[in-house]
Amino acid sequence: SLLYNRVKDLEKLLLTFRDMENGCREHILFLYRYWQICITESLEDGLNRTLELNNKLKHPLELEEVVNATASAEKYYLSGKIFRCTNAYVIDALHISQEEMKELSVFISSDERVSRKQERNKKAYSEMLKKLGKLSKEAQIKQRRKAVCKMILNGKTQQEICQKLNIS
């Protein structure tokens, strides 16, 4: 599934952000073709899917250029050597920006990974509070401030307010 998700990220990166002359299209197509060959275990399918992706571009490369620029993907696969590259390598080689990472699932920096985890944790905490029928700290403070304002408008003293709301 890692290869599949990498391929999906490359598709999104190419179609959404890099459909231009200086967008590392050749390098993206090389990686795409190599990983497609690894997924399908077919040189022909890898090439066909790469050509299909190229044809989806607004500014596609010439057929011969795609074949030549990605031919080494077949060589790597046939050599039996595994072309290992980390996500960090891909991010660096393709100059993937923070904005682009927000749309991707695999090729993300550690900062983006931490940010996503924090967001998931926040959402899970909110859902847990909702299930328990509790309010978040912010909501509790807001509710208490409203109560204090009402009591002030009703002429209560500071001591009465503190005593009634059990606060200092």
Side-chain angles (χ1 to χ4, degrees):
S1 73
L2 175 62
L3 291 180
Y4 178 78
N5 288 327
R6 282 180 163 187
V7 164
K8 288 297 175 196
D9 271 4
L10 290 176
E11 286 177 9
K12 182 170 274 190
L13 182 65
L14 187 59
L15 296 172
T16 308
F17 301 105
R18 302 298 182 85
D19 192 357
M20 59 191 112
E21 285 187 29
N22 60 352
C24 302
R25 294 177 299 171
E26 295 86 353
H27 201 156
I28 293 170
L29 290 173
F30 160 77
L31 292 170
Y32 186 84
R33 184 173 177 182
Y34 177 74
W35 287 326
Q36 282 292 0
I37 292 170
C38 291
I39 291 169
T40 63
E41 297 182 355
S42 166
L43 301 177
E44 188 177 325
D45 282 348
L47 176 60
N48 289 337
R49 290 179 184 196
T50 305
L51 293 173
E52 286 173 17
L53 176 61
N54 184 60
N55 289 335
K56 291 179 184 177
L57 298 174
K58 292 177 188 169
H59 309 288
L61 298 171
E62 295 293 324
L63 174 71
E64 191 174 305
E65 191 177 359
V66 173
V67 173
N68 291 337
T70 63
S72 55
E74 284 186 9
K75 291 178 188 171
Y76 274 107
Y77 183 77
L78 292 174
S79 72
K81 296 178 188 173
I82 298 175
F83 179 71
R84 296 188 193 272
C85 62
T86 63
N87 290 344
Y89 165 79
V90 174
I91 291 167
D92 188 48
L94 300 179
H95 313 291
I96 299 175
S97 70
Q98 287 297 120
E99 286 301 310
E100 292 168 334
M101 284 181 205
K102 290 181 194 296
E103 300 294 321
L104 304 177
S105 63
V106 176
F107 300 122
I108 57 174
S109 67
S110 56
D111 291 343
E112 181 65 22
R113 191 173 294 112
V114 167
S115 173
R116 289 182 187 187
K117 184 172 181 162
Q118 287 173 340
E119 193 61 37
R120 279 192 310 270
N121 289 346
K122 228 185 245 186
K123 190 174 181 181
Y125 178 71
S126 295
E127 288 174 8
M128 182 197 67
L129 288 177
K130 191 182 281 186
K131 280 183 183 178
L132 296 174
K134 294 183 177 182
L135 297 173
S136 67
K137 287 288 183 193
E138 287 179 10
Q140 289 173 2
I141 291 169
K142 199 174 196 178
Q143 195 175 46
R144 187 174 65 214
R145 286 181 178 164
K146 283 182 182 178
V148 168
C149 286
K150 267 187 181 178
M151 289 180 181
I152 290 172
L153 291 174
N154 290 335
K156 301 285 185 190
T157 66
Q158 184 177 355
Q159 288 177 336
E160 290 173 323
I161 294 171
C162 291
Q163 206 170 32
K164 178 94 172 166
L165 296 178
N166 197 22
I167 56 176
S168 59

